[in-house]
Amino acid sequence: MINTTYKALLYGLAGISGLMLVWIMVSVIASVVMRNMGIQPFAWLFTSAEYGLLYMTMLGAPWLVREKGHVHIELLTAALPGAARRLLSRAVAAACVLICVILTWKGIELVMTNIERGDFDTRAYYYPRWLLTIAFPLSFGMMAVEFSRFVFGRELMHSGEAGIHE
């Protein structure tokens, strides 16, 4: 049950991330068309594209970890024998877990500070800042879970094969 809910959340956030990419494209095109027609684009159009960049990046990152979609170079792992490659790959994944846990903690502190202060982003409209910063602990927490799959699971983060694999 927990695994099913987690996977639904993971893929749901990836879907929202994809929708954000579409929105950014639409908002940029609309803004350019409006400017070319001599019309001042809506202030919220630009701001929503900025928010979309944050949400797209943060909400899609855990799915990218699961799919091994992050960029990494395998020159070193390709040169190592199997046992050393597995050890290095798990060590790198463990370091990623540690970093993600620290960033999750700091993200929680940031969200709590935003809530306690009642912070708002006031560029185009009043938007509670915690709605922006909540993406940090959520994303980094889920990335910690995904990287831990490479530390404790059967699958390794690195294939040990240098080059492009698509």
Side-chain angles (χ1 to χ4, degrees):
M1 176 73 171
I2 292 173
N3 188 35
T4 303
T5 304
Y6 175 78
K7 282 176 73 173
L9 179 63
L10 180 79
Y11 286 99
L13 293 177
I16 292 170
S17 178
L19 292 174
M20 288 292 119
L21 180 60
V22 172
W23 170 248
I24 292 166
M25 178 190 67
V26 168
S27 67
V28 168
I29 290 170
S31 181
V32 169
V33 168
M34 290 173 81
R35 286 183 196 275
N36 285 335
M37 293 174 51
I39 302 169
Q40 178 66 31
F42 309 115
W44 58 264
L45 198 60
F46 182 74
T47 305
S48 67
E50 288 179 341
Y51 294 166
L53 284 170
L54 173 70
Y55 288 130
M56 178 185 68
T57 303
M58 297 308 295
L59 300 181
W63 175 80
L64 279 174
V65 174
R66 174 168 283 223
E67 299 297 321
K68 299 182 191 178
H70 285 91
V71 175
H72 56 272
I73 299 171
E74 302 229 21
L75 291 174
L76 179 60
T77 58
L80 293 174
R85 182 179 71 248
R86 284 187 294 279
L87 180 66
L88 178 63
S89 183
R90 292 191 193 286
V92 168
C96 291
V97 170
L98 177 63
I99 291 166
C100 287
V101 167
I102 291 168
L103 291 173
T104 299
W105 178 257
K106 295 311 244 176
I108 290 169
E109 287 179 348
L110 179 61
V111 170
M112 297 308 292
T113 300
N114 291 151
I115 291 170
E116 289 169 3
R117 291 182 184 167
D119 290 341
F120 282 87
D121 184 16
T122 57
R123 287 176 288 165
Y125 42 83
Y126 287 92
Y127 191 76
R129 186 150 301 171
W130 71 268
L131 287 175
L132 293 171
T133 57
I134 194 71
F136 295 118
L138 176 65
S139 176
F140 285 114
M142 291 180 72
M143 282 192 284
V145 170
E146 291 303 316
F147 280 120
S148 68
R149 292 175 59 242
F150 297 121
V151 175
F152 302 109
R154 290 185 314 236
E155 193 175 4
L156 293 176
M157 192 164 67
H158 303 93
S159 68
E161 298 175 4
I164 299 172
H165 307 285
E166 291 185 354

